[in-house]
Amino acid sequence: MPVIVLVGAQWGDEGKGKATDLLGDRLDYVVKFNGGNNAGHTVVIEGEKYALHLLPSGILTPGVVPVIGNGVVVDLAVLFQEIDGLEARGVDTSRLRVSANAHVIPSYNRSMDKVAERFLGSRRIGTTGRGIGPTYADKMNRVGVRVQDLFDESILRQKVEAALSFKNQVLSKIYNRQAVKPDDVVKELLSYVDRLRPYVGDTALELSEALDAGKVVLCEAGQATLLDVDHGTYPFVTSSNATAGGACTGSGIPPTRIDRVVAVLKAFTSRVGEGPFPTELHDKFGDHLREVGHEYGTTTGRPRRIGWLDLVMARYAQRINGVTDFVLTKLDNYDDLDEIPVCVAYEVNGVRHDEMPISQSDFHHAVPIYETLPGWKQDISGCRTFADLPKDAQRFVEFVEERIRARISVVGVGPGREEVIERHSVLSEA
Ligand code: GDP
Ligand code: IMO
Ligand code: MG
């Protein structure tokens, strides 16, 4: 013990990678438990930028064991590209562990993802096109391919043939694409086997033994609460459980072993892809925050949609995840503003909502009710204690904290590893 779960409180890109990196030297294991290379985490260490998609952010901390849990979907080409890229920059990746039960993303699921989006036209989700949805659908449909299947060629062949017997009909008859040859898929997957073998194991057992030995484990979510397939803005979500509950199913760590839940909350809101967004900005403030915050997708390069901070969502994230500590990131991106509106509730058809509306249509029509706080109009990137912050920045943090039912333990004031204010240790209650 202990186990810490780290999640995103909004629609992703809150700064989870940086938060994990910040805790890095206090951790023994970092487990990615959901999603795949749809994620994009940027971590800046001593001015050097690292962009991670599939590997857990803990890979950047010497001594930490990074784990790809059973709940992850793995694109093997991306896995080895990422490993090679980090090794070339001097990062040791040899400690990586990969669950034998994780599913792999065969190339046909990347094709399925892209053609399905094109087919949906204006009703598209705006996916990252990485094959995430079709691979999780295969898992639930019980026609998926797991990492362990790669070590038994005849089983692998059977599974790929079974999946393609249906998918090829869809690809050729509905989407008018060429059928995929099972042999080609099997050959590609087998080409990774020798490199993959040393990393693969029973990661649930390894984590259980590590916890018995008193090690500290962090379970790091990809995506975020409002992108969770059960608790997010369905259907404009990803296809996995990105909330704290997913940490158990996606890693094999039981709920009784979880001690702390940390949610990363950006001081404003961003979203990539389609779907409702009550506080979205289509004006100079949105453009300003996108530019100062470099809000362009790490994975697809798409400009992120930007909006004001939404505390209805933050309270919802607290409740769904059982958040004990918030990490509030990117407070410094407000340095130039005179005033900062914060959404405290919604109005839907004349009715005030302090909690997320239960119906998606109401959420689509939610009009934010704002309270406006004064800006501080100075550079806060050099602040290292709460007392260093200008009074209006302190007031902003306290205003948010009073409304989200959990303490704000860390405040981010810049992208760098050292650009933080730590008010409380997220590892302890005191
Ligand atoms: P993730 O997907 O949640 O890991 O977040 P991303 O890495 O996609 O996006 C967060 C971006 O914000 C990254 O470029 C980080 O370097 C940057 N970032 C994180 N915390 C802060 C902060 O407190 N201030 C500033 N200015 N940038 C930050
Ligand atoms: P991190 O971990 C932001 C979004 C996509 C799309 C929807 C479904 O960096 O916070 P998918 O390819 O998963 O089927 O796409 O989810 N999405 C993300 N948005 N950050 C992410 O990850 C995301 N991962 C998926 O843009 O709207
Ligand atoms: Mg990201």
Side-chain angles (χ1 to χ4, degrees):
M1 296 271 204
V3 178
I4 308 144
V5 177
L6 186 132
V7 297
Q10 295 149 317
W11 277 296
D13 306 321
E14 297 90 351
K16 298 177 290 291
K18 180 185 158 175
T20 299
D21 181 61
L22 173 72
L23 296 172
D25 57 8
R26 288 167 257 181
L27 308 173
D28 298 302
Y29 286 75
V30 173
V31 189
K32 180 176 168 103
F33 63 81
N34 75 302
N37 57 313
N38 47 348
H41 308 301
T42 302
V43 181
V44 183
I45 304 171
E46 285 163 18
E48 277 226 40
K49 212 173 186 180
Y50 296 86
L52 299 168
H53 298 283
L54 182 53
L55 293 170
S57 310
I59 197 129
L60 298 173
T61 310
V64 164
V65 180
V67 179
I68 292 183
N70 57 277
V72 175
V73 289
V74 183
D75 184 323
L76 291 164
V78 173
L79 177 70
F80 291 115
Q81 269 162 26
E82 223 162 79
I83 288 176
D84 291 344
L86 289 177
E87 288 284 342
R89 295 174 72 178
V91 177
D92 174 17
T93 59
S94 62
R95 297 174 313 276
L96 176 69
R97 308 297 298 139
V98 178
S99 167
N101 287 346
H103 282 241
V104 298
I105 304 180
S107 54
Y108 50 78
N109 280 344
R110 278 198 306 277
S111 313
M112 291 294 279
D113 192 358
K114 287 179 188 148
V115 289
E117 282 281 278
R118 229 167 286 150
F119 191 73
L120 282 170
S122 63
R123 288 175 294 120
R124 70 187 176 275
I125 308 295
T127 72
T128 59
R130 303 298 194 260
I132 306 295
T135 302
Y136 279 113
D138 283 0
K139 174 175 171 174
M140 292 303 170
N141 252 337
R142 294 157 293 184
V143 293
V145 177
R146 293 189 292 175
V147 164
Q148 59 177 282
D149 300 329
L150 269 61
F151 302 110
D152 184 331
E153 188 174 338
S154 81
I155 289 280
L156 177 66
R157 193 169 295 279
Q158 277 175 38
K159 295 206 167 181
V160 169
E161 281 171 0
L164 280 176
S165 66
F166 173 70
K167 275 175 205 276
N168 271 337
Q169 304 284 330
V170 178
L171 277 171
S172 58
K173 293 187 180 146
I174 298 178
Y175 296 125
N176 208 15
R177 304 279 140 161
Q178 272 195 342
V180 177
K181 293 193 188 79
D183 262 356
D184 293 348
V185 177
V186 169
K187 201 167 144 208
E188 197 215 328
L189 291 175
L190 287 178
S191 72
Y192 301 111
V193 164
D194 290 339
R195 275 199 84 183
L196 188 61
R197 199 183 303 275
Y199 298 116
V200 177
D202 181 345
T203 50
L205 175 64
E206 289 170 28
L207 288 166
S208 176
E209 288 172 350
L211 289 169
D212 289 342
K215 303 287 184 196
V216 182
V217 176
L218 181 114
C219 298
E220 180 196 59
Q223 295 76 53
T225 304
L226 276 296
L227 285 173
D228 181 284
V229 69
D230 282 278
H231 301 290
T233 47
Y234 189 91
F236 301 103
V237 293
T238 192
S239 299
S240 66
N241 285 115
T243 45
C248 295
T249 50
S251 71
I253 295 174
T256 43
R257 298 198 93 152
I258 292 175
D259 300 276
R260 315 286 307 163
V261 179
V262 179
V264 186
L265 176 71
K266 185 149 61 179
F268 53 95
T269 313
S270 70
R271 169 159 214 174
V272 193
E274 308 301 317
F277 186 171
T279 64
E280 184 167 15
L281 290 165
H282 298 283
D283 59 14
K284 63 175 185 179
F285 294 109
D287 293 341
H288 172 76
L289 289 170
R290 185 178 304 105
E291 292 316 311
V292 292
H294 309 291
E295 292 287 350
Y296 293 87
T298 315
T299 300
T300 57
R302 289 179 284 182
R304 294 176 182 152
R305 298 161 64 194
I306 304 292
W308 296 122
L309 178 61
D310 183 337
L311 295 181
V312 183
M313 263 173 60
R315 273 197 301 276
Y316 177 74
Q318 194 287 328
R319 174 159 61 82
I320 291 291
N321 295 292
V323 176
T324 56
D325 300 76
F326 277 97
V327 174
L328 180 70
T329 58
K330 304 192 99 168
L331 189 64
D332 53 300
N333 289 161
Y334 281 143
D335 284 356
D336 297 328
L337 298 195
D338 294 319
E339 322 191 290
I340 307 164
V342 176
C343 168
V344 293
Y346 304 138
E347 193 188 298
V348 184
N349 300 324
V351 179
R352 181 184 167 110
H353 288 249
D354 289 289
E355 299 289 339
M356 289 284 281
I358 52 165
S359 104
Q360 183 77 359
S361 317
D362 282 355
F363 189 62
H364 263 277
H365 296 119
V367 178
I369 299 173
Y370 289 110
E371 285 190 33
T372 299
L373 301 179
W376 42 90
K377 303 279 281 183
Q378 71 187 78
D379 179 359
I380 59 168
S381 62
C383 299
R384 293 292 173 270
T385 68
F386 193 66
D388 290 345
L389 284 174
K391 282 280 169 289
D392 285 322
Q394 292 184 12
R395 179 73 202 111
F396 182 91
V397 174
E398 286 165 348
F399 179 90
V400 173
E401 191 171 52
E402 282 157 20
R403 285 157 183 79
I404 55 177
R405 303 186 189 120
R407 65 188 191 182
I408 294 177
S409 294
V410 180
V411 179
V413 293
R417 186 184 254 178
E418 67 297 337
E419 289 174 308
V420 286
I421 294 171
E422 203 167 338
R423 299 171 77 204
H424 313 281
S425 165
V426 300
L427 300 188
S428 64
E429 270 171 56

